[in-house]
Amino acid sequence: MKEDEKKIYLVTGGSRGIGKAICEKLAGEESIVIINYRDNDEMAADTLKRVENHGGHGELFKCDVSDYYAVKNMINEIIKKYKKIDGLVNNAGILLMRYFMFTSKEDWNNVMNTNLNGVFNCVKCVLPEMIRREKGRIINISSVATRKVIEGSVAYTVSKYAINGFTKSLAKEVMKYNITINGISSGFIDTDMIKGCEGYGINTEKKGKAEDIAEWVKFLLSDNCRFISGDIISVDGGSSL
Ligand SMILES: NC(=O)c1ccc[n+]([C@@H]2O[C@H](COP(=O)([O-])OP(=O)(O)OC[C@H]3O[C@@H](n4cnc5c(N)ncnc54)[C@H](OP(=O)(O)O)[C@@H]3O)[C@@H](O)[C@H]2O)c1
């Protein structure tokens, strides 16, 4: 396959957990996967190795998604090199399990800056190029916390509800450009994020695997999935019921 025919995917938070599985799932001869992360060089390098083991091509891009100018630079660099971004997966996120009474203004801002503003920053910078090509796919990783109340997670829950609203609202604006934007409401997945959550009364017994989410991301990014937009799909093994 010629280089310019390959799909270019950008996955935020690709060093660990769900993002790592998404990068692996998207890897192959027909794609180039840009693996974004914030701190963990070793784990990011491991993701890149896994992408290459699948016969794919990948690239690392260390950048804090909450920093608008860093994101702008990352996306400019990708577009300069590859001329396009076919799919953006907004997966980077942080969890804060803290009762509202103990949530400081700083805690609140930290969660919003990564989980919500990170999505704003990436989409804001990617969208002009997608609109120019009249083509693109955006996936936002949301949470079961928007389907069933998880006590002690007000800031996190609000950030994910906001993402759902963002997804629906923007989908309507960009449908005329053949750009789809969807969310995945992920159930509990066995990653670093949920270690230690049991103390908050969360039943994490019904845990899924990161690959369960990655499978859906792959489908939503595919050319076959041109007729779904503005939806938030629950992938949670029924735990929100
Ligand atoms: N696990 C679950 O049960 C669950 C349930 C519902 C929704 N989700 C959502 O799924 C997504 C992934 O969660 P996970 O469980 O895979 O989390 P995780 O294991 O804690 O991994 C988080 C990833 O996000 C990256 N990251 C965090 N802040 C970042 C920032 N500011 N800029 C760039 N990268 C950043 C981390 O990079 P470093 O390695 O460099 O720190 C890491 O790659 C999140 O949006 C989360 O809210 C997870």
Side-chain angles (χ1 to χ4, degrees), residues 9-230:
Y9 297 122
L10 169 60
V11 180
T12 69
S15 50
R16 291 184 283 125
I18 295 172
K20 186 188 277 291
I22 294 170
C23 291
E24 264 195 273
K25 186 63 79 180
L26 297 178
E29 268 181 20
E30 64 294 337
S31 67
I32 295 171
V33 183
I34 320 290
I35 305 153
N36 158 265
Y37 67 107
R38 185 183 53 186
D39 298 314
N40 207 322
D41 299 318
E42 213 171 297
M43 293 303 279
D46 173 73
T47 306
L48 178 59
K49 208 161 127 198
R50 287 169 188 237
V51 164
E52 289 169 350
N53 287 347
H54 285 277
H57 181 73
E59 209 173 294
L60 298 176
F61 216 116
K62 187 175 186 172
C63 143
D64 182 341
V65 294
S66 69
D67 179 341
Y68 177 77
Y69 293 101
V71 168
K72 197 171 176 181
N73 174 57
M74 170 175 72
I75 288 167
N76 284 346
E77 290 282 312
I78 297 168
I79 293 174
K80 201 162 106 192
K81 186 162 178 189
Y82 297 109
K83 313 281 182 273
K84 60 171 186 168
I85 295 179
D86 295 284
L88 163 67
V89 184
N90 288 307
N91 163 78
I94 53 171
L95 172 68
L96 177 75
M97 290 307 297
R98 192 158 298 164
Y99 283 97
F100 185 71
M101 284 300 287
F102 303 110
T103 300
S104 66
K105 189 165 166 39
E106 194 186 30
D107 290 335
W108 180 270
N109 288 341
N110 276 344
V111 172
M112 296 305 160
N113 282 340
T114 293
N115 293 7
L116 179 57
N117 297 342
V119 172
F120 169 88
N121 294 341
C122 292
V123 174
K124 187 78 186 156
C125 296
V126 157
L127 207 53
E129 185 279 330
M130 287 184 173
I131 290 175
R132 189 181 54 76
R133 291 173 59 237
E134 297 202 356
K135 204 175 178 195
R137 297 266 190 275
I138 298 169
I139 319 290
N140 296 325
I141 306 298
S142 184
S143 169
V144 63
T146 64
R147 304 283 201 229
K148 198 172 185 176
V149 173
I150 297 171
E151 201 180 332
S153 72
V154 174
Y156 178 79
T157 298
V158 168
S159 73
K160 295 298 186 181
Y161 264 102
I163 287 176
N164 292 357
F166 178 96
T167 303
K168 285 188 170 292
S169 206
L170 184 62
K172 184 122 183 170
E173 285 186 28
V174 298
M175 60 196 284
K176 57 179 172 288
Y177 304 112
N178 299 314
I179 297 166
T180 66
I181 166 162
N182 289 290
I184 292 179
S185 175
S186 166
F188 296 111
I189 303 293
D190 203 1
T191 68
D192 295 344
M193 181 172 274
I194 62 161
K195 280 182 187 143
C197 281
E198 285 82 358
Y200 284 82
I202 296 173
N203 179 2
T204 53
E205 266 167 36
K206 182 97 193 162
K207 272 190 293 212
K209 294 195 174 104
E211 296 73 43
D212 294 325
I213 307 301
E215 195 67 64
W216 271 90
V217 170
K218 186 172 182 179
F219 173 63
L220 290 170
L221 286 172
S222 71
D223 289 337
N224 288 343
C225 189
R226 59 183 186 85
F227 212 50
I228 301 178
S229 195

